[in-house]
Amino acid sequence: QVQLQESGPGLVKPSQTLSLTCTVSGGSITGGDFYWSWIRQTPGKGLEWLGYINFSGSTFYNPSLGTRIRMSADTSKNQFSLRLSSVTAADTAVYYCARDYCSGRICYSYLFDPWGQGTLVTVSS
Amino acid sequence: EIVLTQSPATLSLSPGERATLSCRASQDIRDYLAWYQQRPGQAPRLVIYDASKRATGIPARFSGSGSGTDFTLTISPLEPEDSAVYYCQQRDAGFTFGPGTKLEI
């Protein structure tokens, strides 16, 4: 079964760029028409979907993040990544990567399961 | 933006009882409503999707209902491992989550 694991710095300075990687095991990120998402969780705003990348060529980002967000993938490493620029304390959160949920051969781009275990990123000087 | 509100904020019940959790959308989202369970220290897990369909591996004691703006997650009979925060999520216009209901068993 597919498993996801986030990695990256736990501390980022204000105004810098947050970079995280999600490593996928148990399946190829290009093995189907899957959607690979980033979601974050804060005590204040709760769960917030950030965006997804799909290997049919689609990326779709939460409009609230404007031009700060970029997602990319390294298929040779079976990884996809998140970059969030110009971070502030409001970007402090637990960041999760997730795949769209599939039931049998049907996958739902708007549902998220499985998830990684999450990684805490703190924005502070 | 569609806003989801959940009630109650916290629910304390005993094993064997029935839990009824509510999620209300600020506008009609048809049946595009999912529920997730998040146990302490864990990532969320999909429980119910499209308002009433159980996700793979979810016990039959979990059920969902509703359409339009009002939705319900029912868990009966409760077991101790059901202690968690439950979030609803809509996909009708973007993807947003509710603030969660903490269920204490």
Side-chain angles (χ1 to χ4, degrees), chain A residues 37 39 41 46-49 52 60 62 96 101-104 108-113 115-118, chain B residues 32 34 36 38 41-46 48-50 53-56 87 89 91 94-98:
Chain A
S37 286
I39 298 163
Q41 184 172 31
L47 290 161
E48 181 183 22
W49 175 80
Y52 65 52
F60 183 45
N62 188 327
Y96 295 98
Y101 170 71
C102 298
S103 177
Y108 302 81
S109 62
Y110 52 91
L111 300 172
F112 313 108
D113 198 85
W115 299 54
Q117 68 182 30
Chain B
Y32 297 143
Y36 295 80
Q38 186 175 32
Q42 297 185 14
R45 175 175 72 146
L46 180 67
I48 296 287
Y49 65 100
D50 290 354
K53 299 174 183 176
R54 272 192 305 277
T56 302
Y87 296 95
Q89 177 232 326
R91 70 98 166 179
F95 311 134
T96 57
F97 293 84

Side-chain angles (χ1 to χ4, degrees), chain A residues 37-87:
Chain A
S37 286
W38 286 97
I39 298 163
R40 67 184 179 184
Q41 184 172 31
T42 64
K45 291 190 69 177
L47 290 161
E48 181 183 22
W49 175 80
L50 305 180
Y52 65 52
I53 186 168
N54 162 275
F55 293 93
S56 297
S58 302
T59 54
F60 183 45
Y61 304 131
N62 188 327
S64 69
L65 297 170
T67 59
R68 296 200 299 135
I69 185 172
R70 283 295 181 269
M71 294 178 63
S72 61
D74 185 337
T75 56
S76 67
K77 296 181 179 178
N78 219 35
Q79 297 174 333
F80 63 102
S81 298
L82 168 71
R83 287 174 59 86
L84 187 65
S85 63
S86 305
V87 297

Side-chain angles (χ1 to χ4, degrees), chain B:
Chain B
E1 175 182 297
I2 294 176
V3 176
L4 298 176
T5 57
Q6 292 187 244
S7 61
T10 304
L11 187 58
S12 296
L13 294 168
S14 299
E17 292 189 310
R18 173 190 298 260
T20 302
L21 287 66
S22 175
C23 178
R24 176 164 290 178
S26 59
Q27 60 192 75
D28 187 343
I29 58 170
R30 294 173 280 180
D31 63 351
Y32 297 143
L33 194 284
W35 293 92
Y36 295 80
Q37 174 193 68
Q38 186 175 32
R39 295 179 174 136
Q42 297 185 14
R45 175 175 72 146
L46 180 67
V47 175
I48 296 287
Y49 65 100
D50 290 354
S52 61
K53 299 174 183 176
R54 272 192 305 277
T56 302
I58 300 301
R61 65 178 184 275
F62 289 84
S63 62
S65 63
S67 66
T69 60
D70 290 295
F71 301 87
T72 299
L73 173 67
T74 301
I75 311 170
S76 180
L78 284 168
E79 297 194 4
E81 62 262 32
D82 299 333
S83 290
V85 179
Y86 291 83
Y87 296 95
C88 56
Q89 177 232 326
Q90 67 84 23
R91 70 98 166 179
D92 192 54
F95 311 134
T96 57
F97 293 84
T101 290
K102 184 176 183 179
L103 176 61
E104 299 173 335
I105 311 297

